[in-house]
Amino acid sequence: MLSNKVYIIAGGVISVLFVALAMVEFSTGYPDDGLQDLLYAAVSAGAGTLLYVLDRRQRERRAAAETQRDAR
């Protein structure tokens, strides 16, 4: 299974690609498709942010558990 960092990076890359695609579609005269691509970019960026926050909390829990285990 891939680590959370890979998913976070993939979410960022996909978000940037959707923004670039939206810019192309706005400039070629397809504003509805451009808005849809911006929505997809926001969703992928939100998913990447959520994974980052969850990964950070997981690391904090592991560190706290190790500290507690070492204290015993």
Side-chain angles (χ1 to χ4, degrees):
M1 191 156 105
L2 298 174
S3 71
N4 289 341
K5 287 184 182 182
V6 172
Y7 291 116
I8 293 167
I9 292 169
V13 169
I14 290 171
S15 179
V16 169
L17 291 176
F18 274 123
V19 169
L21 184 61
M23 290 173 59
V24 168
E25 288 177 347
F26 278 127
S27 67
T28 56
Y30 295 101
D32 292 337
D33 292 337
L35 288 175
Q36 185 176 13
D37 290 337
L38 288 177
L39 174 67
Y40 292 154
V43 169
S44 64
T49 302
L50 177 65
L51 283 173
Y52 173 77
V53 169
L54 292 176
D55 184 54
R56 193 167 181 189
R57 287 185 182 174
Q58 183 180 21
R59 281 193 222 159
E60 289 172 357
R61 284 188 202 142
R62 284 183 188 162
E66 284 182 21
T67 303
Q68 189 178 26
R69 184 174 38 108
D70 292 341
R72 291 181 186 176

